[in-house]
Amino acid sequence: MTFEVTILGSSSARPSIRKHHSAHTLNAYEQFYLIDCGEGTQVRLLEQGINPLKLQAIFISHLHGDHVFGLFPLISTMGIMGRKTPLTLFAPAPLDEILEYHCRYFDARLPFEILYRPVDTCRHAMIYENKVMEVWTIPLRHRIPSAGYLFREKVPPLNIRKETIEKYGLGVAQITAAKRGEDIVLGDGTLLVNNELTYRPFVPRSYAYCSDTQYSARVAKIVEGADLLYHEATFADRDKALAKETGHSTTLQAARVASMAGVGKLLIGHFSSRYKDEQELLNEARTLFPDTWLAREGERYQIPLHRVE
């Protein structure tokens, strides 16, 4: 029951030899989701042993080049590889217009369908779900329409406590009803409250991706309790005026969001190239939120399953 984030790129506008543009993957139950797709993302996928054909969906936060320029060659490569499965793509408009031109001039004969789903960057809404997971938008505050994404495991079905079956002589119909969340009334009129009979087998996990954005208390409320939060921290706190001007966050602002939201762990990245020593940015964020880490490329962050006995 894997729930694992891999950092493919963590740089801001200008890449370097060791840092690449924004892209993360989430492996949820061996289904892969790509979040942002900066330049060179397909190479980062190969380096990490992630087959592009396994991507179930792609989520783009906004249409600045450092978050989307890698999408078009990735689409071409998946066509060359013979992908047949439709690819669902979530992004703010007008990415559909850009895709139309790309396919017209470069990929007119793609062997798979691209299912474009426009993202309303002003609303917090569920935009995707499958049997095990939901994806919700997080409205962000940037220079252009932008949205983060909250990946949240679904609450698992109730399990029956095995010892109660024998203790109360429960039949199949009663067990089924208990798993639906119902209380049980025995033949002698005894009421068995549901939480005495059942339990949730594990605590749902969650990962929130927030890039690019100014500080937002609304974001903190939406990502409350997330196990892992990635929040951009483009600037040190001494450059907070520049952060506001460019629609970005500082280290302390990212840490403040994590603290307000009570998240489990904070990853910071998307650093401006003006900072040569990222450790100073990490140390600054840790003054407000100690469990802060640098989003290092190639690192994998496993969100462990917390089972309930």
Side-chain angles (χ1 to χ4, degrees):
M1 299 174 71
T2 306
F3 210 79
E4 180 181 73
V5 174
T6 300
I7 310 299
L8 302 178
S10 63
S11 179
S12 59
R14 193 175 75 182
S16 68
I17 293 175
R18 64 184 183 87
K19 291 178 62 180
H20 305 88
H21 284 152
S22 294
H24 293 190
T25 59
L26 173 67
N27 175 356
Y29 293 70
E30 295 307 314
Q31 295 188 3
F32 290 83
Y33 304 88
L34 179 63
I35 309 105
D36 273 343
C37 192
E39 182 182 349
T41 291
Q42 63 173 322
V43 177
R44 309 281 86 74
L45 288 167
L46 295 174
E47 288 175 346
Q48 295 302 315
I50 300 172
N51 187 337
L53 298 184
K54 289 187 176 181
L55 294 177
Q56 302 292 314
I58 299 175
F59 299 84
I60 301 297
S61 63
H62 64 293
L63 302 188
H64 277 159
D66 56 330
H67 294 258
V68 75
F69 279 170
L71 177 63
F72 311 105
L74 175 61
I75 287 172
S76 294
T77 296
M78 286 192 285
I80 293 171
M81 295 175 72
R83 182 186 180 106
K84 303 296 183 184
T85 307
L87 176 67
T88 306
L89 174 59
F90 296 89
L95 185 59
D96 53 337
E97 298 176 21
I98 301 170
L99 274 171
E100 181 183 348
Y101 280 103
H102 169 79
C103 290
R104 181 186 304 173
Y105 293 108
F106 298 102
D107 280 315
R109 294 187 175 184
L110 277 179
F112 64 94
E113 184 180 7
I114 299 175
L115 305 175
Y116 171 69
R117 301 288 184 261
V119 171
D120 185 343
T121 60
C122 296
R123 295 180 62 239
H124 171 51
M126 187 176 71
I127 57 171
Y128 177 88
E129 69 172 326
N130 56 27
K131 292 181 179 180
V132 298
M133 187 181 68
E134 300 172 348
V135 183
W136 293 72
T137 52
I138 306 171
L140 301 178
R141 299 172 57 203
H142 194 39
R143 301 194 307 276
I144 64 172
S146 303
Y149 298 100
L150 174 62
F151 298 81
R152 190 164 62 195
E153 209 170 14
K154 287 185 174 180
V155 176
L158 290 168
N159 278 1
I160 192 79
R161 299 184 187 278
K162 293 181 180 179
E163 66 273 14
T164 63
I165 298 176
E166 183 176 352
K167 179 178 180 180
Y168 298 110
L170 301 179
V172 173
Q174 292 171 313
I175 292 172
T176 302
K179 287 184 175 181
R180 290 197 300 264
E182 300 173 15
D183 296 335
I184 302 299
V185 179
L186 300 180
D188 62 1
T190 301
L191 175 66
L192 302 179
V193 179
N194 186 266
N195 62 14
E196 297 178 359
L197 300 173
T198 63
Y199 66 96
R200 299 285 179 189
F202 60 88
V203 179
R205 295 166 287 183
S206 55
Y207 164 61
Y209 176 91
C210 299
S211 185
D212 300 5
T213 184
Q214 296 181 56
Y215 166 78
S216 170
R218 185 184 183 189
V219 167
K221 185 174 182 180
I222 291 173
V223 305
E224 184 175 2
D227 293 285
L228 180 63
L229 167 65
Y230 172 78
H231 195 293
E232 68 120 300
T234 307
F235 296 101
D237 191 61
R238 65 177 180 271
D239 295 318
K240 57 187 174 185
L242 184 56
K244 183 176 181 180
E245 178 184 339
T246 58
H248 287 293
S249 292
T250 69
T251 52
L252 293 186
Q253 289 169 341
R256 188 173 297 119
V257 169
S259 180
M260 291 172 61
V263 303
K265 178 181 292 187
L266 170 65
L267 295 179
I268 55 174
H270 200 266
F271 303 127
S272 168
S273 59
R274 70 183 56 227
Y275 305 108
K276 305 308 177 186
D277 184 4
E278 296 170 356
Q279 189 63 39
E280 69 164 298
L281 302 174
L282 178 62
N283 292 342
E284 191 169 74
R286 282 179 171 176
T287 63
L288 276 185
F289 194 80
D291 203 357
T292 301
W293 302 86
L294 298 175
R296 297 189 184 278
E297 297 184 18
E299 291 290 328
R300 300 191 178 201
Y301 299 87
Q302 175 77 39
I303 302 175
L305 189 69
H306 298 291
R307 293 192 178 275
V308 179
E309 301 298 334

